[in-house]
Amino acid sequence: MADELYTRTNQALAFARLALGEWHQAAAATEIGAATRVAYHREHTVFHLYRGLLWLIQEVADGYRWTLTGTQSVEQLLRAEQIERFPGPELAELAQLRQRSDSWVAGILSAWQQLQAPPARADAAAGALIVGGAATPPWGLAEAEEALASLRAQVERYRQNLQEW
């Protein structure tokens, strides 16, 4: 595979789509261990969606010839200081989407943070998963599907606007 940024974005999106398909199959399964498979494919999907968002930002930066070396975190790239340092409508739009709690960007980042959190412990009295001391609902299939569709649409739109003619 070529070492171009767009191929890394495409690869992350393809793997996210495959992981999402496996997640659907695991969610429909009834055998023992299905819940573990669901958790695995959920994490797999979150990982690839996060990497797809990261590579999209890197792809945009490359289109503008910005040097973002050493930055391997979406959260770092969408900070206000980075947006001021590298002004562009794409990064500003993604930073705004990050601020809206109901957006697909915020959903990916929230799911990624849950994935990076210490292992959950079951609260027997409440019957809920406790992560970091607060009850958090898991990111579901519908949210992941929306995030993948939105990320793919964003990639296509950005590529259309960044083409050199």
Side-chain angles (χ1 to χ4, degrees):
M1 179 190 316
D3 196 28
E4 299 292 331
L5 292 175
Y6 71 90
T7 59
R8 293 180 184 178
T9 308
N10 291 348
Q11 183 183 38
L13 292 174
F15 285 145
R17 189 181 88 264
L18 292 172
L20 194 58
E22 292 294 324
W23 185 1
H24 271 288
Q25 289 179 1
T30 58
E31 73 271 359
I32 294 176
T36 303
R37 286 183 44 223
V38 166
Y40 168 77
H41 291 300
R42 177 189 178 279
E43 291 178 6
H44 197 212
T45 302
V46 169
F47 172 79
H48 288 299
L49 286 172
Y50 183 87
R51 298 303 287 176
L53 182 55
L54 178 64
W55 284 114
L56 172 61
I57 294 169
Q58 296 281 359
E59 189 177 326
V60 167
D62 186 60
Y64 284 111
R65 307 296 188 250
W66 295 333
T67 305
L68 299 178
T69 57
T71 310
Q72 292 300 316
S73 159
V74 172
E75 294 84 354
Q76 289 176 341
L77 291 169
L78 295 181
R79 288 190 328 233
E81 306 85 54
Q82 289 288 78
I83 303 303
E84 289 174 12
R85 186 172 166 211
F86 302 109
E90 296 87 0
L91 290 185
E93 180 182 13
L94 291 172
Q96 286 178 350
L97 286 171
R98 177 186 181 199
Q99 298 303 318
R100 286 190 19 228
S101 62
D102 63 335
S103 74
W104 61 272
V105 172
I108 290 173
L109 295 178
S110 174
W112 179 253
Q113 289 170 353
Q114 288 176 5
L115 188 61
Q116 301 303 309
R121 62 179 170 82
D123 184 0
L129 279 182
I130 306 297
V131 178
T136 56
W139 203 52
L141 271 167
E143 293 89 352
E145 287 174 338
E146 179 198 348
L148 178 59
S150 297
L151 181 56
R152 291 178 75 174
Q154 204 82 348
V155 166
E156 291 302 317
R157 190 164 56 89
Y158 286 175
R159 286 179 180 168
Q160 291 287 328
N161 293 335
L162 285 175
Q163 287 183 352
E164 297 178 8
W165 297 97

